[in-house]
Amino acid sequence: MLVALMAWDKPGALQTRMENRKAHLAYVEKTGIVVQAGPFLNDKDEMIGSLIILDVEELADAERWAKSDPYAEAGLFESVRLTKWKRVVG
């Protein structure tokens, strides 16, 4: 099942994101369940959140993945939403 993780950073948290980006990307690579991913950007092209598509057996797997993400462990996110997602194009 595909699950979309949509996370919005806390205001002013770009430094937290940058300090944890290497660990986050290593986690993405290591876990092997990320199908697509990328940051949300503001008008200045600064990263302000994340969209991550996970391929998991059940929603609980996505929840566990999200909680163990180095970004989440660093307290980067103001809000996180997980929802089933269906690919139609691409």
Side-chain angles (χ1 to χ4, degrees):
M1 131 182 17
L2 296 176
V3 174
L5 182 158
M6 295 160 286
W8 296 98
D9 298 358
K10 292 177 181 172
L14 183 57
Q15 186 64 35
T16 300
R17 175 176 279 273
M18 298 312 295
E19 289 170 356
N20 292 280
R21 192 160 196 258
K22 184 176 178 179
H24 164 74
L25 293 174
Y27 179 68
V28 166
E29 182 72 24
K30 175 185 160 191
T31 57
I33 64 171
V34 175
V35 176
Q36 289 182 282
F40 294 122
L41 304 174
N42 65 14
D43 292 341
K44 298 177 185 177
D45 287 337
E46 297 169 331
M47 294 179 279
I48 58 167
S50 299
L51 171 63
I52 302 170
I53 306 299
L54 304 167
D55 188 357
V56 294
E57 291 294 319
E58 55 188 66
L59 191 57
D61 297 327
E63 292 168 349
R64 281 189 292 277
W65 189 95
K67 287 179 184 175
S68 297
D69 180 357
Y71 279 167
E73 290 180 341
L76 173 63
F77 299 130
E78 181 174 61
S79 66
V80 175
R81 181 172 179 189
L82 293 162
T83 187
K84 291 181 188 179
W85 183 74
K86 180 180 178 182
R87 176 181 292 140
V88 175
V89 176

